[in-house]
Amino acid sequence: MSFNLVQAYARAPMVFERGEGSWLFDTQGEKWLDAGAGIAVNVLGHADPRLVRVLTEQAGRLWHTSNLYRIAEQERLAQALTERTFAASVFFTNSGTEACEAAVKMARRYWHIKGSPERNEIITLNASFHGRSLGMISAAGGEKLIDGFSPLLPGFRRVDANDSDAVAEAVDANTAAIMVEPVLGEGGILPLEDWYLAGLRELCDRTGCLLILDEIQCGMGRTGKLFAHEWTGIEPDIMAIAKGIGGGFPLGACLAKAHAAEGISPGTHGSTYGGNPLACRIGREVLDIVAEPEFLADVREKAGRLRQRLEAVVATRPDIFTEIRGSGLMLGLVCKVPGSDVIEAGYRRNLLTVPASGNVVRILPPLTATPDELDEVCLRLDSAAAEIEAGSHA
């Protein structure tokens, strides 16, 4: 443990010095199977040669100029994103938290210029997660997020996920927008039902509210579509993305339809580093790869295989797991035993997984993981569960 670092994380003791595809190598020479992908970030795995190439080429040309000037790579990535999505324009950030902050500001500013500044409240979901800024912990609530950080910012109201009556009752004359994750990630890999998402779109259309989707974790091919909302066939007004779009390099974005972005004019929002040439060149390469129909079809095929094998593990180990839920290569094992026990037993098998709320272990492998590597994830999870059942180390 380094006492020179603020102790904000309960870190596992491994120190990784190199990565290759779905594998990490630590300073002790051990090889680890990564089924967490940096919390759904490394969509192309570690040290993908295509990303290494474009990063190196761009680093040799231009890293940063600031948004005082036009940035060619930013404009190219914005065009690529708008061509592939509902959006008409993009605001670039460095992280998902910033993308969500931009989305909330955009929604409130929209109503301000419409002459209805009282419409400033954002409805969010219990068990949601939109980042750790003061604004975003105020949006999500949750004891672990908000403990010790009062007073929280006003202007947010929370309802339960997949409860259409509750969200309809929450909308009133002060509601600016509804902000949800199509698949709640930190909240325990809880997918929103298709009928619920469709109902949110209809509710927003009927009341004038803007629909904001947080696809920071579930976007960029993670569910087998470029973005998770595509499975339902709806479109948001605003969408926050990050994590996978940079493939491991810090990058986020707030995408918006033309009307939703009307309130953002020079001086209303900004970022020093957001949309820098280096980040945007990498993001464009990631998008070009992940958005290919053949790539997404491969993700869907591998996801079906992984889910089938994980369901067999759950069925074989009923004293350890209760169910598997999620979509694509964004899956959660709901545990009867403490999820931390499963993760620790996985560590003893050089397997990396990710915790989530609700006693859930997240399985978030690189989208480029091979079928054999995904099979190996399942074998190691089954072995970990067997160890816990036996009550002793294997």
Side-chain angles (χ1 to χ4, degrees):
M1 177 186 295
S2 172
F3 292 100
N4 302 111
L5 296 170
V6 172
Q7 299 302 303
Y9 305 103
R11 301 178 193 265
M14 301 81 78
V15 180
F16 299 111
E17 61 179 5
R18 183 169 65 88
E20 182 178 334
S22 299
W23 300 88
L24 284 165
F25 302 82
D26 68 22
T27 52
Q28 305 303 310
E30 293 285 325
K31 181 179 180 182
W32 296 73
L33 180 54
D34 186 2
I39 317 182
V41 168
N42 298 95
V43 291
L44 301 182
H46 298 280
D48 183 278
R50 296 161 293 188
L51 298 192
V52 172
R53 175 180 57 80
V54 299
L55 186 153
T56 304
E57 290 175 356
Q58 184 63 43
R61 288 198 295 267
L62 186 65
W63 293 23
H64 176 76
T65 61
S66 89
N67 285 294
L68 293 174
Y69 318 104
R70 288 181 60 184
I71 300 174
E73 283 300 337
Q74 186 179 117
E75 293 175 7
R76 293 185 186 111
L77 179 54
Q79 180 179 354
L81 282 166
T82 55
E83 286 175 349
R84 291 175 168 92
T85 68
F86 67 93
S89 61
V90 184
F91 177 87
F92 288 106
T93 68
N94 309 287
S95 68
T97 300
E98 293 170 71
C100 285
E101 289 275 359
V104 168
K105 288 181 70 175
M106 186 177 287
R108 288 179 172 167
R109 182 74 181 173
Y110 169 83
W111 287 110
H112 176 82
I113 67 164
K114 294 294 182 185
S116 300
E118 73 281 358
R119 295 194 70 163
N120 54 38
E121 188 171 80
I122 312 294
I123 296 173
T124 63
L125 300 181
N126 290 318
S128 63
F129 182 85
H130 302 292
R132 290 185 181 271
S133 66
L134 187 57
M136 290 306 100
I137 66 170
S138 300
E143 185 175 347
K144 288 185 178 180
L145 287 177
I146 67 176
D147 184 36
F149 298 113
S150 296
L152 300 180
L153 300 183
F156 299 98
R157 183 186 302 190
R158 289 175 292 279
V159 298
D160 288 339
N162 291 320
D163 187 335
S164 56
D165 291 337
V167 70
E169 290 173 6
V171 172
D172 60 23
N174 296 321
T175 306
I178 300 171
M179 180 166 70
V180 301
E181 304 162 82
V183 183
L184 279 68
E186 302 287 334
I189 310 296
L190 179 64
L192 298 184
E193 300 289 351
D194 287 352
W195 55 262
Y196 181 75
L197 278 172
L200 291 183
R201 180 69 271 176
E202 188 278 330
L203 177 62
C204 287
D205 290 341
R206 177 160 42 87
T207 60
C209 298
L210 299 178
L211 179 60
I212 303 172
L213 295 185
D214 175 345
E215 293 231 16
I216 290 164
Q217 190 167 150
C218 63
M220 287 305 298
R222 181 58 54 184
T223 68
K225 297 279 191 180
L226 185 57
F227 293 105
H229 68 267
E230 295 174 23
W231 287 106
T232 306
I234 66 163
E235 291 183 347
D237 299 293
I238 303 171
M239 180 171 70
I241 66 172
K243 289 188 181 288
I245 183 63
F249 198 90
L251 176 63
C254 178
L255 286 67
K257 289 186 173 180
H259 70 279
E262 286 178 3
I264 302 301
S265 56
T268 57
H269 195 46
S271 172
T272 297
Y273 297 107
N276 66 76
L278 190 53
C280 286
R281 178 64 188 95
I282 296 167
R284 183 159 61 90
E285 188 72 12
V286 173
L287 181 63
D288 285 346
I289 294 167
V290 173
E292 281 296 316
E294 295 82 3
F295 185 94
L296 293 170
D298 186 56
V299 171
R300 293 192 293 271
E301 182 177 348
K302 289 186 292 192
R305 177 190 181 106
L306 176 61
R307 190 177 193 114
Q308 184 179 42
R309 281 158 175 73
L310 285 175
E311 285 174 346
V313 173
V314 171
T316 303
R317 308 293 179 187
D319 293 333
I320 308 299
F321 305 114
T322 63
E323 64 172 312
I324 181 170
R325 63 191 185 205
S327 179
L329 293 178
M330 183 179 181
L331 299 175
L333 287 165
V334 184
C335 302
K336 282 187 177 178
V337 300
S340 57
D341 289 356
V342 176
I343 292 170
E344 291 286 344
Y347 289 164
R348 290 189 283 274
R349 286 149 182 83
N350 286 31
L351 174 68
L352 303 174
T353 56
V354 179
S357 298
N359 212 30
V360 170
V361 174
R362 279 181 278 182
I363 313 298
L364 304 165
L367 305 186
T368 52
T370 67
D372 286 345
E373 288 168 342
L374 296 176
D375 288 351
E376 184 64 24
V377 169
C378 298
L379 288 172
R380 296 189 189 196
L381 276 169
D382 184 64
S383 175
E387 173 195 314
I388 296 169
E389 282 183 338
S392 63
H393 291 182

